[in-house]
Amino acid sequence: MTEPTAPDADLLIIGGGLGGVAAALAALRRGRAVILTEETDWLGGQLTSQGVPPDEHPWIEQFGSTRSYRRLRDEIREHYRRWYPLTNTARTDPVLNPGLGKVSKLCHEPAVAASVIDALIAPFVASGRLRVLRESVPVAAESIDGVVRSVTIRDGTGATRALSAPFVLDATELGDLLPLAGVPYVTGFESRMQTGEPSAPETAQPDNVQAFSWVFAMGYDEHGDHTIERPVDYDYWRSYEPDFWHGPLLGLIAPDPRTLEPLERSFLPNAPVEGTVSADQSKDPGDRELWAFRRVLARATFEPGFLESDVTVVNWPMIDYLDGNLIDATSDARERHLEGSRSLSRSMLYWLQTEAPRGDGGRGWPGLHLRGDVLGTDDGLAKAPYIREGRRIRARYTVTEQDLSLAIRGDRGAVDYPDSVGIGMYRIDLHPSTGGDNYIDVASSPFQIPLGALIPERGGNLIAAGKNIGTTHITNGCYRLHPVEWNIGEAAGALAAFCLENDREPDEVHADSSLLRAFQTELELDGFELRWPEVKGF
C-alpha cells in the first residue's frame, strides 16, 4: 500500500473505549508507535466513562477471553487488594467481587477501571511510543481510493490537527469515522429479506436503533434528605408510557426481557447480602432486585465502618432513552437527545427519592444521593452516555442470527469460522428501540469473531475495532459486550501490526490461507482463544 507522507505513527486509533485501548496495547506489544484519541478524559468507554460494570458470560473466570482482558480484570481486583480495607474473606477470595453485584462476577467502580487502564498504558506513554489525545474527536478525514490518508481531530479547546498513519482504526462508540472516511456502513434494523434472520422485520428500519442510557451512581443516607431539585421535564417523563411497557417508564415495573411480560422489580437501598452472590446470568438474570443488580461497592466486602453505604449504578431499562438516536443526527437533534437522556436519568432519581413505593407503605427514599466521584463527575451522572449500537461497516463477512442462535444451531453450536480471531458469549440482548420495539432476547451459542467482520467490504487501511464490525442489528446484541469489544479491538490492533510487519493489506491476510494461519498462530501465542471448549449456550 502507498503510505501517507511522514506518518505521525504506525497506527492511528480513533476512540479510546475498550476496543481502542485493547488495539493500542496489541500494537504496542508488537513494537509499533500508536496515537490513540478519546472524546472524554477517561479511557475505557463502556467500562469507565459510560459507567457500566462488565457484562460477561458465566465461564469468564476459567476461559472465554484473551489473556490481556484477563489481566485487566486481575489488575482491577489487585487494586482493591492493595489499597482498600477488605475483609479477610474478601482479600483472599481469588474471584473478588467488590460490589457483590449480580450482573457480573466483577462489579467495581468505574474510576478504578480508569486508573488501572492508565497504569497498563503508562510504560508505553513513558517510552514515547504511545500518544493519548484526550477530549478529542474526529471532524474530517481525507480518503483516496479507499485509503484513509489523514484524520482531522478537534480537541477540547477547539483546535484542530490532521493526523496520518499507515493504518487507521475506528474504535468510536458510534462508528463516527465511517462517514467521514467514506466507508459504507449500515444502521438500525436490516430487513428479513436482506439477512434471512427470523427476528428481523419485513422491511429495513435504518433509524430504529437500541436506546442509549445515561448511567448514574448513588448511595443511601438513611437519616439525610438529599432530594434534588425537581427536574424541569419531570412531568413529561412521569407521564411517559411506551405502548409495550405495561405502565409508566418511571417505576419499578418493566418488561421481562425474555418473556416480555410485565415484571415488578424490588428496590431496597442497602439491602443486606444474603448468602453467596453467584452473578451467573445463565441461572439468574440478576435484575429482580435493583439495588444489588449493578452494585459496585458493597459494605460487606470491606472492614466495618469503611463504607456508610453501598454504591450502586443505575443502568436500568427505566432510563433507556426512546425519543431518538444519535446516529447521523443534526447537531441540534443530538444535543436535544443527549439532554433528554440526562433529564430522564435525573427524573428517575427524583422519582426514587420522592415517589418510589417502600415496603413500610411510605413513598420515596430522600436519603438517596448521587456518587459522582465513582464516575469522575461533579453532577453524579456518567461522563458519557452508554451506547449500545452505532454504525456498522459493510464488511467482508456479516454475522447473522442464524450463525449463532441456539434455537437454529442447536447441538451443532455456532458456525465455526475458519478466520476466527477470538471468541465471545452472551445472549442476543437487544434493549427497547427508538422505533417502539420491545426487547429482543434470543438464546445464543458460544460464538467466534470472524476476521472478515473487521474488514470493510471494499478493503483499504481502515479496520473496525469495536461495536462497528460486520454484525447485524440483531447480532450486535451479543457482540457489543465488554470482553467481546476488547477482543475485537485487540485483534484489530494485532492485524494492523501484522500487516506492517509483512507489508500486506488486511484483505490480503483474510484472503490468503497461509497468511491467515500465520496471523492466527501469532494471536494464539499472544493469549487469544480462537475456539471454544465444549460448552452449551443459554
Side-chain angles (χ1 to χ4, degrees), residues 250-254 263-267 290 318 348 351-352 357:
L250 298 186
L252 298 180
I253 297 175
L263 175 65
E264 183 169 9
R265 276 72 168 184
S266 62
F267 177 75
L290 292 173
M318 300 80 166
M348 185 68 209
W351 181 86
L352 289 168

Side-chain angles (χ1 to χ4, degrees), residues 42 97 99 112 151 208 236 252 263 285 297 320 332 375 385 389 402 452 482 484 501 507 509 515 529:
W42 272 7
N97 187 348
V112 167
V151 178
N208 190 3
Y236 173 78
L252 298 180
L263 175 65
L297 286 176
D320 285 357
D332 287 346
L375 295 166
E389 181 180 353
Q402 51 269 39
H482 301 65
V484 183
E501 180 68 23
D507 53 353
V509 177
L515 282 173
E529 298 175 24

Side-chain angles (χ1 to χ4, degrees), residues 25 49 62 104 140 309 316 440 467 481 488 503 515 519 533:
L25 289 171
S49 59
Q62 290 77 42
S104 170
S309 170
W316 308 339
I440 296 176
K467 293 188 286 288
L481 286 311
I488 290 167
D503 193 23
L515 282 173
F519 177 55

Side-chain angles (χ1 to χ4, degrees), residues 58-59 102 105 258 278-286 288 427 538:
W59 309 287
K102 294 186 177 181
K105 296 177 185 295
R258 300 186 187 183
S278 67
D280 184 345
Q281 292 189 51
S282 67
K283 297 183 175 67
D284 176 6
R288 275 43 176 173
R427 291 178 71 89
F538 72 94

Side-chain angles (χ1 to χ4, degrees), residues 458-481:
R458 70 178 190 183
N461 68 332
L462 184 143
I463 304 171
K467 293 188 286 288
N468 56 351
I469 66 168
T471 58
T472 63
H473 171 81
I474 302 297
T475 55
N476 163 264
C478 58
Y479 274 77
R480 65 181 175 84
L481 286 311

Side-chain angles (χ1 to χ4, degrees), residues 76-84 86 98 108-109 112:
I76 290 171
R77 284 179 168 140
E78 188 56 33
H79 184 95
Y80 282 96
R81 294 190 185 104
R82 181 178 296 121
W83 301 112
Y84 283 61
L86 301 171
H108 56 82
E109 301 158 271
V112 167

